[in-house]
Amino acid sequence: MNIKTIILAAGKGTRMKSNKAKVLHQIAGKSMLQLVVESVDDLAGDVIVVYGHDGEQVQQALQGLDITWAEQNEQLGTGHAVQQAMPQVKQDDTVLILYGDVPLIKPDTLKKMISGLDSKTLSLLTVKLSDPSGYGRIVRSNDNICKIVEQKDATKEEQLINEVNTGMMAVNGGLLAGWLSSLKNDNTQNEYYLTDVIEMAVNDGVQVKAFHPEDEYEVQGVNSKSQLNQLERHYQTELAERLMDDGATLADKSRLDVRGNLQLKGLDTFIDINNVFEGDVSLGENVIIGPNCVIKNAVIGSNTVIKANSVLEDCMVGNDCNVGPFARLRPGTKLANGAMVGNFVEVKKSMVGEGSKISHLSYIGDAEIGKGVNIGAGTITCNYDGVNKFKTVIEDGAFIGSGTQLVAPVTVGKNATLGAGTTLSKDAPGDTLTVTRAKQLTLKSWKKPTKE
Ligand code: UD1
Ligand code: CA
């Protein structure tokens, strides 16, 4: 079975009060449209997105995804929208219709709708709501679905029906093409309603089978910032529950935000309050993440502690490391096992060897630091001359005195010691003390100034 998923995303989204296209607003760090595209990843078919308003913006944002496009110049209704994608659909394809602003639809629900579908059936996703107003109503006779009426076209009795159309359906492509071509817009809104195909299906002897989502969030659309936030919070709560199921201990499941994929490699990881994880992050066993950290695209080894207020991006942290509080690990940082990066230390594109320590107030950039190195407080690698970047090498066992500037390119040899306050511009040989320091003077004749 060849599946063509058509995602409707041509609407304007005026109520979002935003310059950004509606379907590009994000949930958990991904655009709604991307989430919908990902919901059919497992179905292994083609995805066609119907675009209109803010088309260029939408296409640009989704450049990397494997989808094709169909333009709807004028928004003449959901039926008209689907029609724009039909030139890309073959007679024996199965068509699945989804919405770019209904982002939390679950793959399992879609799989159920697709399995068992043949050219004699249509799968329709419906849901019972305590307040059905605004939605198309499912009209049944003797339990069988016979049509959908839109709120604005519904009689008083029909308006009492609480089973509503979510809009999502699956059906044979040939059948759908036929029905769409005979749609009329003789209704209150003068639109070509996709929903009218249901009655046509029934008239053609095609059985309309209703499917239901696991929860209401799956079929909730987003029309405002408030609805966007409701879905964001729901999604985050689900993610937090999954993390706890996998063995993480959370200080507060409502004060954790995952914008991407957070993977747990082992048990007993503890995540304190107000943490944000972005992109792909993996945490080893027994990891402790203190409060208020932002961790993006990072691999963190087992038994490592990341203390409060640390910011990590595109980096790798080994086992048994100690980072923070207030540490900043920038892209390209690698900490070997047992390394320590303390408070107010910034590390960029550097390798820090096993057991080495940078405990306080330092900047380490473009450096290669060996094993067992101790870097004193206030050490700066001067890696940039305003045009080019240069490398600093600090070999195993070196001791860098406090307040040292390492003017790269420069190498500190194995087991070398640099005296405090050194400005190192030439290589320091191993196993010796190197120090650059002006002679200390005490002026005995000096007198404290007095007030005139
Ligand atoms: C539609 C259904 C209704 C259902 C409801 C669920 C129809 C006629 N009605 O109503 O039965 O209960 O969704 O939310 O289908 N779109 C386009 N091009 C168009 C019109 C719409 O791409 O010309 C897109 C919109 O961007 C949106 C989706 O289709 O993502 C639904 O359109 P909308 O106008 O919100 O339909 P409703 O009136 O809510
Ligand atoms: Ca709608």
Side-chain angles (χ1 to χ4, degrees):
M1 182 155 62
N2 203 358
I3 299 169
K4 296 271 165 74
T5 299
I6 300 175
I7 302 176
L8 303 192
K12 187 152 167 31
T14 318
R15 279 181 285 161
M16 293 302 281
K17 302 263 169 68
S18 169
N19 292 320
K20 189 155 76 179
K22 175 167 150 181
V23 292
L24 295 185
H25 285 271
Q26 295 191 336
I27 288 181
K30 286 180 185 168
S31 72
M32 293 198 278
L33 187 48
Q34 184 174 348
L35 285 174
V36 178
V37 172
E38 287 179 3
S39 74
V40 294
D41 270 356
D42 291 353
L43 298 178
D46 300 326
V47 176
I48 308 158
V49 175
V50 179
Y51 70 99
H53 279 286
D54 306 308
E56 235 169 77
Q57 216 188 94
V58 174
Q59 281 180 316
Q60 211 167 7
L62 294 201
Q63 247 168 13
L65 295 182
D66 186 17
I67 51 186
T68 61
W69 301 90
E71 187 174 8
Q72 186 191 25
N73 278 319
E74 260 185 300
Q75 271 75 71
L76 302 179
T78 48
H80 179 258
V82 173
Q83 228 166 356
Q84 310 312 304
M86 293 310 284
Q88 301 183 48
V89 172
K90 295 201 190 75
Q91 292 278 323
D92 52 2
D93 286 343
T94 293
V95 173
L96 173 65
I97 298 170
L98 303 179
Y99 296 79
D101 57 356
V102 185
L104 299 191
I105 183 68
K106 288 192 174 136
D108 282 351
T109 303
L110 299 177
K111 274 182 215 159
K112 275 185 228 154
M113 289 172 65
I114 293 283
S115 74
L117 193 70
D118 57 33
S119 57
K120 285 263 159 286
T121 53
L122 181 153
S123 298
L124 185 67
L125 193 63
T126 76
V127 67
K128 283 188 177 152
L129 297 179
S130 47
D131 176 15
S133 58
Y135 289 90
R137 306 297 206 284
I138 305 296
V139 180
R140 289 179 181 260
S141 103
N142 300 328
D143 266 4
N144 295 322
I145 294 178
C146 42
K147 64 175 179 175
I148 297 175
V149 283
E150 290 306 299
Q151 161 98 18
K152 288 179 181 157
D153 304 295
T155 63
K156 283 237 164 65
E157 279 135 42
E158 286 168 338
Q159 286 189 18
L160 295 175
I161 299 171
N162 70 346
E163 186 185 7
V164 306
N165 173 34
T166 65
M168 290 178 245
M169 64 175 80
V171 68
N172 166 271
L175 291 174
L176 181 64
W179 299 328
L180 287 174
S181 65
S182 47
L183 280 183
K184 297 202 177 68
N185 65 347
D186 52 357
N187 48 53
T188 331
Q189 306 186 74
N190 291 120
E191 283 183 5
Y192 296 92
Y193 289 165
L194 173 64
T195 43
D196 285 350
V197 305
I198 300 302
E199 195 173 4
M200 296 177 182
V202 173
N203 290 341
D204 283 353
V206 171
Q207 193 200 354
V208 178
K209 279 195 194 164
F211 289 80
H212 311 293
E214 244 175 70
D215 62 59
E216 269 182 37
Y217 291 100
E218 277 192 75
V219 297
Q220 230 171 67
V222 170
N223 293 309
S224 65
K225 293 273 168 69
S226 172
Q227 287 170 340
L228 182 71
N229 187 255
Q230 278 171 30
L231 295 196
E232 174 77 34
R233 292 335 304 165
H234 172 74
Y235 194 86
Q236 292 298 342
T237 304
E238 275 199 337
L239 277 174
E241 294 290 347
R242 225 177 299 153
L243 288 172
M244 292 188 285
D245 286 347
D246 290 348
T249 304
L250 306 180
D252 183 348
K253 68 174 178 181
S254 69
R255 281 187 287 172
L256 161 79
D257 283 84
V258 180
R259 299 173 196 152
N261 304 310
L262 176 57
Q263 258 189 43
L264 298 176
K265 297 284 188 192
L267 306 177
D268 295 312
T269 278
F270 173 72
I271 303 175
D272 214 324
I273 57 165
N274 294 341
N275 281 294
V276 178
F277 297 93
E278 295 178 49
D280 292 311
V281 175
S282 88
L283 305 178
E285 190 148 274
N286 263 321
V287 167
I288 297 175
I289 309 286
N292 309 321
C293 296
V294 179
I295 302 180
K296 180 175 182 178
N297 297 326
V299 176
I300 295 176
S302 295
N303 306 311
T304 282
V305 181
I306 311 289
K307 292 181 183 151
N309 302 299
S310 294
V311 177
L312 284 69
E313 181 177 358
D314 293 312
C315 61
M316 289 176 76
V317 179
N319 302 329
D320 307 298
C321 289
N322 231 296
V323 175
F326 295 98
R328 175 148 188 234
L329 303 187
R330 288 174 51 200
T333 296
K334 278 188 190 166
L335 306 189
N337 296 341
M340 177 184 171
V341 171
N343 40 194
F344 305 104
V345 171
E346 172 180 348
V347 184
K348 185 215 85 174
K349 206 176 171 188
S350 295
M351 165 73 203
V352 181
E354 210 174 308
S356 290
K357 292 181 177 154
I358 315 165
S359 298
H360 336 263
L361 296 157
S362 293
Y363 170 64
I364 302 296
D366 304 301
E368 208 172 283
I369 298 174
K371 293 181 198 166
V373 168
N374 195 315
I375 299 207
T379 295
I380 306 287
T381 52
C382 310
N383 59 329
Y384 186 50
D385 62 6
V387 183
N388 295 304
K389 302 256 166 78
F390 300 97
K391 197 165 167 181
T392 300
V393 177
I394 302 174
E395 293 178 355
D396 295 352
F399 181 95
I400 311 295
S402 299
T404 291
Q405 295 115 56
L406 300 151
V407 185
V410 76
T411 296
V412 177
K414 202 168 168 179
N415 297 319
T417 294
L418 299 189
T422 292
T423 300
L424 193 75
S425 51
K426 285 183 269 180
D427 293 353
D431 296 303
T432 46
L433 170 69
T434 300
V435 60
T436 63
R437 208 178 275 174
K439 220 178 184 131
Q440 184 164 319
L441 290 177
T442 303
L443 300 176
K444 290 212 167 125
S445 58
W446 180 82
K447 284 205 176 68
K448 222 179 193 169
T450 52
K451 191 126 187 161
E452 278 179 19

